[in-house]
């Protein structure tokens, strides 16, 4: 069972709420959790807090796999996409996905 948590599709909920969503989904049987990044952290180049958030969400997943959705159409530059991808991998993401499909601009090469 896969579940989308963390305030899909915006990802702009409080970290506390996103962690509660993850724990509830895992408790209810989800074996894969899709998270949405806090794009504000990416656009503001707040890589340390992005790492901290993604790491906490991965820990909340327990044994469930975690897919990080970048929402690249809202990240502004390919450099932001690259750095956000690295942060997600370093924080323990099992998979990375380009977009939720709900943004105004989705997975496309010319970002920004």
């Amino acid at each position: 069972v896969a579940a989308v948590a963390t305030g899909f599709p915006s990802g702009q909920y409080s970290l506390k709420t996103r962690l509660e969503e993850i724990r509830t989904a895992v408790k209810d049987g989800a074996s894969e959790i899709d998270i949405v990044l806090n794009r504000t952290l990416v656009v503001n180049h707040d890589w340390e807090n992005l790492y901290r958030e993604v790491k906490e969400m991965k820990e909340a997943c327990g044994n469930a796999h975690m897919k990080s959705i970048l929402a690249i159409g809202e990240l502004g530059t390919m450099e932001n996409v690259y750095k956000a991808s690295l942060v997600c991998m370093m924080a323990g993401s099992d998979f990375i996905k380009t977009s939720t499909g709900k943004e105004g601009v989705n997975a496309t090469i010319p970002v920004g």
Side-chain angles (χ1 to χ4, degrees):
V1 175
V4 178
T6 70
F8 183 87
S10 74
Q12 300 303 302
Y13 293 24
S14 72
L15 180 59
K16 178 182 176 187
T17 299
R18 291 182 283 154
L19 293 171
E20 288 173 6
E21 286 183 357
I22 292 168
R23 290 183 189 111
T24 298
V26 170
K27 185 181 110 204
D28 289 346
S31 58
E32 180 179 307
I33 301 293
D34 291 9
I35 68 160
V36 183
L37 295 189
N38 179 336
R39 272 93 81 201
T40 301
L41 296 176
V42 176
V43 172
N44 291 331
H45 303 161
D46 192 351
W47 308 117
E48 289 181 29
N49 278 320
L50 180 64
Y51 175 84
R52 181 184 54 79
E53 282 197 359
V54 175
K55 187 157 182 66
E56 286 186 49
M57 289 187 276
K58 176 61 178 172
E59 289 169 0
C61 287
N63 291 327
H65 288 103
M66 185 178 80
K67 182 189 305 170
S68 294
I69 304 173
L70 303 178
I72 68 169
E74 297 181 353
L75 298 187
T77 68
M78 287 303 286
E79 183 175 348
N80 284 345
V81 172
Y82 170 74
K83 288 181 179 180
S85 298
L86 287 177
V87 169
C88 288
M89 289 185 285
M90 290 187 299
S93 294
D94 297 294
F95 308 99
I96 295 176
K97 184 176 177 181
T98 55
S99 65
T100 65
K102 305 292 184 188
E103 297 90 18
V105 175
N106 292 293
T108 181
I109 297 296
V111 173

